[in-house]
Amino acid sequence: DVNTLAAELGMTLRSLQKRFYQFDTTPREWMAQRRLERTRRKLDDPLLASRSIKQIAFDCGFRDFSHFSRSFKSAFGLSPRAYRP
């Protein structure tokens, strides 16, 4: 979470937010985008073809599959099922 990220970087939450605002985003949005990208890479990985989309999403930190699916489609233009080869 964002508080943990700030602590690991040795800064306050407010200073972390200020740094992200310079790039027109928030720490939470940045983390969500990284999580979506990690999930997309795993969906592309032939070694993970036997794992379900739901399990990959949960492994990447999503707790609600419906939310993941909507977020993925919004970010990449396809549902996770349509995206996966």
Side-chain angles (χ1 to χ4, degrees):
D1 82 336
V2 178
N3 290 318
T4 303
L5 178 62
E8 287 180 5
L9 293 172
M11 57 180 35
T12 66
L13 178 58
R14 184 68 186 131
S15 19
L16 181 66
Q17 290 170 332
K18 283 181 181 179
R19 289 190 185 223
F20 274 89
Y21 291 153
Q22 295 173 357
F23 300 102
D24 206 25
T25 191
T26 67
R28 188 174 311 278
E29 289 169 347
W30 180 83
M31 290 174 69
Q33 188 60 40
R34 299 294 80 70
R35 188 176 294 131
L36 283 167
E37 288 173 3
R38 186 171 62 244
T39 306
R40 182 174 55 91
R41 283 193 309 274
K42 288 185 177 214
L43 290 175
D44 282 335
D45 188 340
L47 297 175
L48 299 176
S50 64
R51 299 206 73 174
S52 72
I53 294 171
K54 189 174 190 175
Q55 186 59 53
I56 290 173
F58 289 161
D59 289 349
C60 289
F62 290 95
R63 293 188 178 103
D64 180 313
F65 186 73
S66 296
H67 172 73
F68 158 72
S69 190
R70 286 189 306 273
S71 297
F72 189 95
K73 186 171 185 175
S74 176
F76 303 116
L78 293 170
S79 70
R81 189 171 312 280
Y83 177 83
R84 193 173 205 186

